[in-house]
Amino acid sequence: MFELNPVLGRDSILVGHFSLCQLRLMNDAQFPWFILVPQRNDIGEIYQLVEEDRQQLMVESCLLAETLHDAFSADKLNVAALGNQVPQLHVHHIVRYKTDSCWPSPIWGKFDAVAYSKEELAGILQKVHSLLSDDLTLPSDDGAGLYY
């Protein structure tokens, strides 16, 4: 059974499932910032995935990147698998604008996260769900709150 790193669980919201990865939204309304987490235990680096999973990660990452770029009219996408603080493999997909508060620098450590309001969260989830509906399985709402 797949186990999500608790830090990723605390800092992000489940958007849905691709065939390999969980798609999660970082709970920071300053940036459209998503992460893909391959649902494989004890993997910290892309090369540790079996070849088929590596290829599927690339398919899912490219699909997500193209969707985000178009849907959010990005000036640039930052796509990275760092893992310096959370060892579980996860790939960041961050929509960047020349007008954002950190441009052109990286966003990490610049500002404290600003959580989404319920309305903002519902809007961004609806947008992404509608754009990826053919490829994404939506999480069930267990009544405990919207995807938390």
Side-chain angles (χ1 to χ4, degrees):
M1 166 117 354
F2 172 71
E3 291 186 37
L4 182 68
N5 180 285
V7 174
L8 294 177
R10 179 194 71 214
D11 293 347
S12 66
I13 299 153
L14 180 61
V15 176
H17 299 270
F18 288 113
S19 65
L20 174 66
C21 295
Q22 283 189 6
L23 174 59
R24 302 189 69 86
L25 172 67
M26 293 299 290
N27 194 8
D28 187 349
Q30 297 170 95
F31 307 94
W33 178 357
F34 295 81
I35 59 172
L36 290 177
V37 184
Q39 296 179 103
R40 301 292 185 261
N41 290 318
D42 303 319
I43 300 291
E45 303 292 343
I46 294 172
Y47 75 84
Q48 294 173 326
L49 292 167
V50 299
E51 179 67 26
E52 182 180 322
D53 286 349
R54 274 183 264 162
Q55 291 175 4
Q56 186 60 34
L57 175 59
M58 188 58 61
V59 167
E60 293 174 10
S61 179
C62 288
L63 173 64
L64 178 61
E66 182 177 10
T67 300
L68 295 177
H69 186 275
D70 294 349
F72 292 93
S73 302
D75 290 322
K76 177 70 176 108
L77 279 174
N78 292 164
V79 179
L82 301 176
N84 296 357
Q85 294 186 17
V86 175
Q88 183 173 42
L89 178 59
H90 59 289
V91 182
H92 299 268
H93 292 69
I94 308 163
V95 176
R96 298 296 307 274
Y97 303 103
K98 291 177 181 175
T99 57
D100 75 43
S101 58
C102 295
W103 184 268
S105 300
I107 65 170
W108 282 277
K110 298 288 183 184
F111 302 104
D112 291 334
V114 176
Y116 282 97
S117 70
K118 287 186 178 187
E119 294 79 20
E120 290 171 323
L121 180 58
I124 198 167
L125 290 175
Q126 190 280 328
K127 183 176 192 173
V128 172
H129 287 159
S130 67
L131 293 169
L132 294 171
S133 62
D134 291 342
D135 301 286
L136 197 65
T137 302
L138 302 184
S140 61
D141 183 358
D142 62 6
L146 189 62
Y147 309 121
Y148 286 95

